[in-house]
Amino acid sequence: MQQTTLITGVSSGIGLTTAKYLLQRGYTVYGSLRGGNAGADQLAKYPTFTPLTFDVTDRPAIHAAVQQIRETGHQLTGVVNNAGVAISGPVETLSEAQYRKQFDVNVFGLLAVCQETLPLLHAAQEAGLSPRIVNVGSVSGYLTSPFTTLYSASKFAVEALTDGMRRELLPFGIDVISIAPGPVKTPIWAKGREQTAAYRGTRYEKVLEKLGPYTEAAEADGVEPEVVAEAIYKALTDEKPNPNVLVMKRGWLVKLLRLTPKRFQDRFFLKRLAENRRY
Ligand SMILES: NC(=O)c1ccc[n+]([C@@H]2O[C@H](COP(=O)([O-])OP(=O)(O)OC[C@H]3O[C@@H](n4cnc5c(N)ncnc54)[C@H](OP(=O)(O)O)[C@@H]3O)[C@@H](O)[C@H]2O)c1
């Protein structure tokens, strides 16, 4: 059966890699770009790839893009909500524009894409197919590290949206799954490094000295984006996929840490930060 999937944010990183991964396995892929991106050149050689231009915070643009899919007559069998941003910095110093953007993209953008595509997913299910939504969460939706608190809050929201929507949609034959990566080697880390202005001239300035090496160590220990692409593919194709998948080295440690008292977790994070080690 021909599988047709929409992936948001295919210009780089996990979205670009997942698009290639699915295209190489015979999928028809619609990928969202925001214009003038390198990702488009890499994907253009695949005849079953169609770029769509929209920002996930622009509801009318999402609507128009979904209408484009509808007009092809393709049955949409998968939606991968991958587009995301990671805003870091002490909560005390983040501007309103920064904290709103974090939720506008990672949470409300994802929600808008789900709402706009669900009529097509229902239609696919009514035609006898098994449509799925895969939300790209994060280990930050399992545990909250200091200085990526707003990002974590947005990814905890992604987990809640995933579980709640799955329980609303399973009676209609639509599955909703979260793939939560730990550190992955993608451009998102470099984008984060530019956000140091949040610390300058504040009492948190000293933390920056620690946070640089701490973040670099986490990125260096990250997995390749292909590992996440494979997990997304499994979520789209396995007969009975795990609804919440943590994709990271030492994921067991995160799962264990989540069961410990919060004061223990506090000490763990502060000690790791002091030693320039993540988890
Ligand atoms: N890398 C990691 O370590 C890691 C770990 C856990 C979870 N994740 C999650 O994985 C997802 C992909 O991140 P990545 O690591 O692959 O980073 P990335 O290379 O920076 O890719 C992010 C993608 O999202 C798109 N995007 C950002 N804002 C958007 C908006 N408003 N509307 C539409 N598209 C937008 C970007 O497009 P532009 O190029 O146009 O900005 C880009 O295509 C994110 O949800 C992220 O939170 C990443």
Side-chain angles (χ1 to χ4, degrees):
M1 187 206 27
Q2 181 67 45
Q3 296 277 12
T4 302
T5 299
L6 165 65
I7 307 174
T8 62
V10 296
S11 69
S12 62
I14 294 168
L16 175 60
T17 306
T18 303
K20 286 186 200 163
Y21 197 95
L22 297 185
L23 288 160
Q24 285 158 4
R25 282 156 186 78
Y27 274 60
T28 295
V29 174
Y30 290 87
S32 89
L33 294 156
R34 295 195 293 172
N37 293 306
D41 306 335
Q42 293 189 44
L43 295 170
K45 67 174 180 198
Y46 295 96
T48 57
F49 174 72
T50 306
L52 298 173
T53 307
F54 67 85
D55 188 303
V56 296
T57 63
D58 182 346
R59 184 78 185 231
I62 302 170
H63 185 81
V66 172
Q67 184 59 24
Q68 228 178 299
I69 303 175
R70 185 179 282 115
E71 283 164 7
T72 64
H74 280 143
Q75 294 284 9
L76 187 67
T77 50
V79 174
V80 179
N81 282 300
N82 163 75
V85 290
I87 291 177
S88 61
V91 168
E92 190 176 345
T93 67
L94 291 178
S95 69
E96 184 173 351
Q98 284 177 308
Y99 65 69
R100 287 197 184 281
K101 180 178 176 186
Q102 185 64 89
F103 270 71
D104 282 343
V105 177
N106 291 16
V107 182
F108 302 126
L110 176 151
L111 178 58
V113 171
C114 289
Q115 287 187 337
E116 290 293 344
T117 52
L118 269 166
L120 289 184
L121 298 179
H122 282 295
Q125 193 276 333
E126 283 153 15
L129 303 171
S130 304
R132 293 179 185 175
I133 296 174
V134 178
N135 294 326
V136 179
S138 168
V139 62
S140 298
Y142 284 52
L143 282 173
T144 310
S145 298
F147 308 110
T148 45
T149 306
L150 260 292
Y151 177 66
S152 242
S154 77
K155 293 297 187 179
F156 268 79
V158 168
E159 291 301 319
L161 278 169
T162 302
D163 289 345
M165 285 180 61
R166 187 175 58 257
R167 290 160 196 164
E168 292 177 17
L169 291 165
L170 271 182
F172 299 101
I174 300 173
D175 208 353
V176 187
I177 294 151
S178 102
I179 297 295
V184 188
K185 290 175 182 160
T186 74
I188 207 168
W189 295 85
K191 294 174 191 171
R193 274 195 284 278
E194 289 155 19
Q195 293 170 18
T196 51
Y199 304 82
R200 295 261 148 74
T202 77
R203 54 168 54 85
Y204 297 98
E205 197 157 5
K206 275 243 151 252
V207 176
L208 251 186
E209 289 163 21
K210 288 279 172 207
L211 218 52
Y214 172 80
T215 311
E216 274 158 33
E219 181 187 5
D221 192 39
V223 301
E224 296 297 332
E226 285 74 15
V227 176
V228 184
E230 188 185 355
I232 293 172
Y233 176 71
K234 278 171 73 65
L236 289 168
T237 53
D238 275 5
E239 199 176 329
K240 268 197 164 213
N242 181 344
N244 307 94
V245 185
L246 185 61
V247 185
M248 70 178 286
K249 295 177 188 168
R250 297 179 297 284
W252 61 269
L253 177 58
V254 169
K255 288 179 185 163
L256 190 66
L257 197 56
R258 279 217 299 180
L259 302 174
T260 63
K262 288 286 169 78
R263 293 289 181 200
F264 177 87
Q265 294 179 22
D266 294 346
R267 286 195 296 278
F268 174 89
F269 279 112
L270 294 177
K271 188 164 179 291
R272 288 274 163 147
L273 187 56
E275 293 168 355
N276 297 340
R277 284 195 300 147
R278 215 167 177 247
Y279 41 72

